[in-house]
Amino acid sequence: MAAHLPPGSTIGILGNGQLGRMLCLAAARLGYRTHVFGPEHDSPAEQVASQSTVAAYDDEPALAAFANAVHAVTFEFENVPAKAAAYLAAHTHVRPSWKALEIAQDRCKEKAFFASIGAATPSWAKIDSVADLKEALTRVKPPAVLKTARLGYDGKGQAKIMDAGQAEEAWAAIGGPTAPPDSGYAVLEAFVDFTQEISVIAARGADGTLVCFEPAENVHTNHILATSTVPARVAPGTLARAIEIASRAAAALDLVGLLAVEMFVTRDGGVLCNEMAPRPHNSGHWTMNACGTDQFEQLIRAVAGLPLRDPARHADVTMVNLIGDDVNRLDAYLVDPAAHVHLYGKQSVRKGRKMGHVNLLRPKSV
Ligand code: AMP
């Protein structure tokens, strides 16, 4: 790949949801075309992309045509099938690389990775059977959370365990009886009595330059992100530690692109890593209106080999997700000069579905 992609080049995006949509819009501002690839028709990204391929992620002829039609590829989700990632890596430039995806796809690998860079996680154990779970509950004492190692999101594939007698019930609740033996099927995690949840989005350029957006304070409702607020109400030392962890993780992965790291803040001001995602993240949507450059533009810049921009923030902000019916209550936001509304073009409203978000700006306090 040339040192940087000239304007007019096409950036391929695997996945065609709202993150893909906002990536396409950022790419267009920098003069790039986009080609999105994903399984759904009339998707949020397809509506704004220059080109679209609607196909399954394991459709090799479609992947071959896609690889031929683009100058570089990135993705908007981490559960890219290994075969598709390998195929694309062999035929075009993929940023970030498979290494980051592979780790982020699997909670066991993710926790081992955090340990390898000196970042703490809640205490945990790998679980492949109900016998493993019963044994692990003698070490990782309840309250605890049992999570599938792969393909869980927004609280799906999770069961809370309040006492050891609930092992069988929790194992059944996450689909454990169907688990192949020795698969690294699930993790048992100590339930953290956190004061706040925070996340940091690191951006790393093709030349190794690394910059982080400020940590956001996140509130989840029913396991789905409800709001992100910046500045976070967290001690400066804790915020500095969070930024250090995200930076160290992105560098250790030799990542070109974005890495979002979600963390719990403990009562003593410590930081425990929960999970990471090598892509734009819902908890980074506040950057779209509160910073000179946002997470989507940083990713496009990294993929295209352009210099990254200063991630400095010029306003305080709360990002409010519009989930399900919330999208029908926009009137007040539409007339509020401090409210920046972003809608994703989804036709049908469903419970728990992310329909858009609003960034509410306030004058910068710190
Ligand atoms: P996750 O899918 O791991 O991001 O979990 C979704 C949400 O569930 C988190 O953002 C937390 O609000 C909550 N949660 C997950 N794991 C834990 C834990 N070990 N302790 C406390 N809360 C948790």
Side-chain angles (χ1 to χ4, degrees), residues 275-292:
E275 59 181 358
M276 64 181 199
R279 56 163 171 80
H281 197 261
N282 193 170
S283 69
H285 291 357
W286 63 272
T287 61
M288 296 174 83
N289 301 103
C291 298

Side-chain angles (χ1 to χ4, degrees), residues 11 13 17-30 32 74-76 201 203 213 257-258 279-289 291 293-304 308 319 342 344 357 359:
I11 297 178
I13 299 167
Q18 63 266 19
L19 301 176
R21 178 186 182 97
M22 292 182 273
L23 268 176
C24 290
L25 296 172
R29 283 198 303 274
L30 289 170
Y32 296 115
T74 191
F75 41 83
E76 58 129 45
I201 294 170
F213 290 102
L258 298 179
R279 56 163 171 80
H281 197 261
N282 193 170
S283 69
H285 291 357
W286 63 272
T287 61
M288 296 174 83
N289 301 103
C291 298
T293 192
D294 64 42
Q295 60 168 346
F296 301 100
E297 179 169 335
Q298 293 289 55
L299 177 54
I300 294 298
R301 283 171 169 260
V303 172
L308 298 184
M319 186 283 311
H342 302 262
Y344 305 152
H357 67 271
N359 285 330

Side-chain angles (χ1 to χ4, degrees), residues 68 74 77 104-105 114 124 139 143 148 153 166 175 185 188 195 201 203 258 268 271-272 277 302 327 335 348 366:
N68 270 329
T74 191
F77 70 124
Q105 283 183 354
F114 284 130
W124 68 284
R139 290 176 284 120
T148 50
Y153 68 98
Q166 292 173 313
Y185 182 73
L188 177 70
T195 53
I201 294 170
L258 298 179
D268 59 2
V271 170
L272 298 176
V327 74
V335 294
S348 52
V366 284

Side-chain angles (χ1 to χ4, degrees), residues 107 145 147 155 158 189-192 194 197 220 223 264 274-275:
R107 290 187 193 271
V145 199
K147 302 179 178 178
Q158 298 192 13
E189 237 177 74
F191 195 77
V192 181
F194 56 77
E197 291 191 76
H220 292 82
H223 295 278
F264 301 121
N274 178 24
E275 59 181 358

Side-chain angles (χ1 to χ4, degrees), residues 148-174:
T148 50
R150 303 174 73 86
L151 298 176
Y153 68 98
D154 288 348
K156 294 184 175 62
Q158 298 192 13
K160 197 165 173 192
I161 300 179
M162 297 308 288
D163 74 78
Q166 292 173 313
E168 311 236 356
E169 188 189 324
W171 181 242
I174 66 156

Side-chain angles (χ1 to χ4, degrees), residues 135-294:
E135 188 278 322
L137 280 165
T138 64
R139 290 176 284 120
V140 181
K141 297 221 160 43
V145 199
L146 183 66
K147 302 179 178 178
T148 50
R150 303 174 73 86
L151 298 176
Y153 68 98
D154 288 348
K156 294 184 175 62
Q158 298 192 13
K160 197 165 173 192
I161 300 179
M162 297 308 288
D163 74 78
Q166 292 173 313
E168 311 236 356
E169 188 189 324
W171 181 242
I174 66 156
T178 61
D182 304 322
S183 60
Y185 182 73
V187 295
L188 177 70
E189 237 177 74
F191 195 77
V192 181
D193 179 25
F194 56 77
T195 53
Q196 276 104 355
E197 291 191 76
I198 58 173
S199 58
V200 176
I201 294 170
R204 191 163 175 275
D207 61 357
T209 309
L210 205 152
V211 292
C212 290
F213 290 102
E214 276 177 63
E217 178 177 341
N218 302 321
V219 174
H220 292 82
T221 307
N222 300 327
H223 295 278
I224 300 176
L225 184 67
T227 62
S228 294
T229 298
V230 189
R233 293 163 307 161
V234 171
T238 303
L239 297 180
R241 172 72 182 144
I243 289 171
E244 184 199 338
I245 290 170
S247 307
R248 210 186 282 171
L253 293 167
D254 196 21
L255 174 123
V256 177
L258 298 179
L259 187 72
V261 184
E262 293 182 80
M263 306 170 217
F264 301 121
V265 177
T266 54
R267 296 202 173 267
D268 59 2
V271 170
L272 298 176
C273 292
N274 178 24
E275 59 181 358
M276 64 181 199
R279 56 163 171 80
H281 197 261
N282 193 170
S283 69
H285 291 357
W286 63 272
T287 61
M288 296 174 83
N289 301 103
C291 298
T293 192
D294 64 42

